[in-house]
Each structure stands twice: as structure tokens, then as C-alpha cells.
Amino acid sequence: MGSTTASEISSQLTRLRHQVGAPAVGMVLTLVVVCDESRQYDAVRAASEASREHPSRILAVIPRERNEATRLDAEIRVGELTTGEVVLLRLYGELRDHADSVLSPLLLPDIPVVVWWPGEAPEAPAKDPVGAFGQRRVTDARSSSDPVAAIRSRADGYTPGDTDLAWTRLTPWRSLLAAAFDRPAGKVLDGHVEAEPGHPSAELLAVWLSDRLGAPIRVTDSEGPGLTAVRLRLGDGEIRVERYDSRTATLTRTGEPDRQVALARRPASDLLAEELRRLDPDEVYESAIRNAAADGS
């Protein structure tokens, strides 16, 4: 649909809904994806895969050339890789600055809105005109030109409901490390998190561990990829988690046999699906980014 309007898009969605069997009835949220053209294919695919678990109306906002005539182009997909609806909205000219007015008529009534920036994100997501629609606002510091600086800056514009996929990627690591302390292990004296240089998740994992264990945990560089190890020095030994492939890790604890544990790297669709399971504020994430900001100041 070239040179269209939000009302025409809404009417077309209604017509398609009647033709294919009313998928909107079971939709549980509206997922807004804000990205440039180079990211839209992967982002929309990830959102569509996540919507199999969380049926959604997916609205992809794609700013295009500013120097072209102001217009809105739309592409509607129903029943393709998703249980809901997908609308690609390409905004040209001055309309780039008014995405909120385009989105407003397309939001499903009385259900939550989640906004995801798979690329560069605003400094204060909740104050962004599109971000203001969201009960949850998902960013990804790893997509920034300086990921560590980006994750440290998240505290400045934080509003309850914000989160970042750099934090979501840590869920399996945090669960595994917590399980390592199911049995008494003695006091942790210090430790370090190893990761490829500039990895924002390493920064968050180090401050989370430091806060929980009451010990200094620093970040050191490795050859990667991604997070590769956590080493914690105890009064009478060591706990180590080492991952050098994309699927498994080795958990080592002094005096016990090594254990192979599942610790797979997850695709964006799985990370996004995890975030869509909770719409309440993540206070542990808030604490982690505030500690990261304090450490970087």
C-alpha cells in the first residue's frame, strides 16, 4: 500500500481479519519494532517467531529518506510466520518525526504495548514519542557503536518498564551461577568475568555478581566469542564456569568433578520471547545498570 494512511491500514486489517479468520481475537499484545531498513528483515522475523508464544500485532516502524516527499507506505502480512498480524510502516519526509501519530490508530485496544529497538535506541526510551506507548521498552546495547558506554548510560534515562537484551542474555548464566551456590561454598574473595572486549553483558554480570556476593568482580578481556568464563576465588578454592563454544559450559568447583552443563547462545527471537513474558518492572536490572553507571563514572 503506497501513499496510504493509518485509517486505510486499519480498514484493510479489518477486511483481512474477516477473510482469514479473525486472528486479532487471541492477540495478547502489540509489539512495536523501531528499526532502519537494514535491520527490518531480521527484526521482523525475530518478532514473528516470538509471537508464536505471545500472539501479537507487530508494527514495524521504518524511517526512510528524510528528503523525500512526506508519505506513508505500508505492507501488511497476515498468517506468515506468525499467529497475529505484521504491518511494515515506512515513513518518508517529515512523517519520520511523527511516528506516534501513525501508530496510535493501529494499537490494539486494552492490551499491553511493548516497544523494541533492535538497533540504536533513544537515551530515555520512555520519553520517546513511540516509547511512551509501551508498558515495556526493550533496547539492545550490543547494537550501539560503544556497547559498554551504552549500557552504563541506561541508568540516566531509566523508567520502570525499561530493559535491555544485554541483560536478557545473562539469564542462563545467572541461573547457573546461582545453582553453583546451592551448597555452602564459603566466602567469595574476588573474581572476574571474561568476555570479548566491549561486551555489555559482561559489565552487567560483573556488577550483579559483585552486588550479590559482596566481593570485587572485574571484567577482563578474552578472545571470545561473547562471554567465555566466570572465575570466583573462594577462601578454600574456586568456582569456575567456562564456555568456549555456543552450546555447553564446564562448571568447576574445587574438590568436585567437573560438570558439563547446557549454556547455549540464544537467538534474538528467544530473548524477545523471554522479555514478553513479563510486563512488570525488572528491579534487578535497574540495580545492575545503576551499579554499572556508578562503576563507570
Side-chain angles (χ1 to χ4, degrees), residues 21 52 86 92 109 112 122 143 155 157 175 204 207 210 222 239 264 283 286:
R52 295 174 184 173
V86 178
Y92 294 81
S143 300
S175 298
L204 291 176
V207 298
S210 182
S222 71
I239 291 176
E283 295 175 353
E286 178 186 3

Side-chain angles (χ1 to χ4, degrees), residues 235-256:
D236 58 353
E238 185 181 38
I239 291 176
R240 301 196 311 270
V241 177
E242 300 170 301
R243 181 180 70 178
Y244 296 110
D245 62 29
S246 61
R247 299 175 300 279
T248 59
T250 302
L251 173 62
T252 301
R253 182 169 171 166
T254 301
E256 299 182 6

Side-chain angles (χ1 to χ4, degrees), residues 24-31 55-57 103-114 133-135 279:
V25 171
M27 286 191 275
V28 298
L29 57 86
T30 300
L31 175 58
S56 311
R57 171 174 288 181
L103 286 171
S104 184
L106 300 176
L107 302 178
L108 290 168
D110 303 322
I111 66 171
V113 177
V114 176
F133 288 125
Q135 282 73 41
L279 298 177

Side-chain angles (χ1 to χ4, degrees), residues 70-297:
T70 298
R71 75 174 194 274
L72 169 64
D73 291 349
E75 180 181 345
I76 299 175
R77 304 171 185 171
V78 175
E80 296 181 19
L81 300 176
T82 178
T83 55
E85 303 162 337
V86 178
V87 184
L88 276 59
L89 303 164
R90 293 182 169 88
L91 284 60
Y92 294 81
E94 295 181 1
L95 197 59
R96 288 169 46 108
D97 301 322
H98 302 284
D100 54 325
S101 64
V102 174
L103 286 171
S104 184
L106 300 176
L107 302 178
L108 290 168
D110 303 322
I111 66 171
V113 177
V114 176
V115 183
W116 175 37
W117 291 267
E120 292 287 344
E123 293 183 2
K127 295 181 180 179
D128 179 82
V130 172
F133 288 125
Q135 282 73 41
R136 289 280 279 178
R137 294 161 295 277
V138 183
T139 54
D140 192 353
R142 199 172 71 172
S143 300
S144 301
S145 55
D146 187 339
V148 172
I151 203 64
R152 288 174 176 170
S153 71
R154 292 289 186 251
D156 293 337
Y158 177 81
T159 298
D162 292 353
T163 194
D164 195 283
L165 294 187
W167 176 249
T168 318
R169 292 184 181 95
L170 292 176
T171 299
W173 283 87
R174 292 168 56 215
S175 298
L176 178 57
L177 288 163
F181 287 90
D182 282 347
R183 296 185 305 282
K187 179 174 176 56
V188 176
L189 303 179
D190 56 38
H192 61 268
V193 175
E194 295 181 5
E196 63 187 13
H199 199 289
S201 296
E203 186 84 7
L204 291 176
L205 185 56
V207 298
W208 177 76
L209 284 168
S210 182
D211 181 58
R212 291 306 172 103
L213 300 175
I217 310 293
R218 69 185 191 279
V219 177
T220 58
D221 292 344
S222 71
E223 295 182 359
L227 278 166
T228 53
V230 173
R231 305 177 192 274
L232 304 173
R233 187 169 66 94
L234 311 177
D236 58 353
E238 185 181 38
I239 291 176
R240 301 196 311 270
V241 177
E242 300 170 301
R243 181 180 70 178
Y244 296 110
D245 62 29
S246 61
R247 299 175 300 279
T248 59
T250 302
L251 173 62
T252 301
R253 182 169 171 166
T254 301
E256 299 182 6
D258 291 354
R259 292 169 48 200
Q260 297 297 310
V261 292
L263 194 59
R265 292 187 175 88
R266 298 181 293 166
S269 57
D270 287 359
L271 300 173
L272 187 59
E274 178 183 329
E275 288 302 332
L276 297 181
R277 291 182 199 123
R278 59 174 301 167
L279 298 177
D280 56 315
D282 188 339
E283 295 175 353
V284 182
Y285 166 72
E286 178 186 3
S287 176
I289 58 171
R290 295 201 185 284
N291 287 335
D295 285 356
S297 60

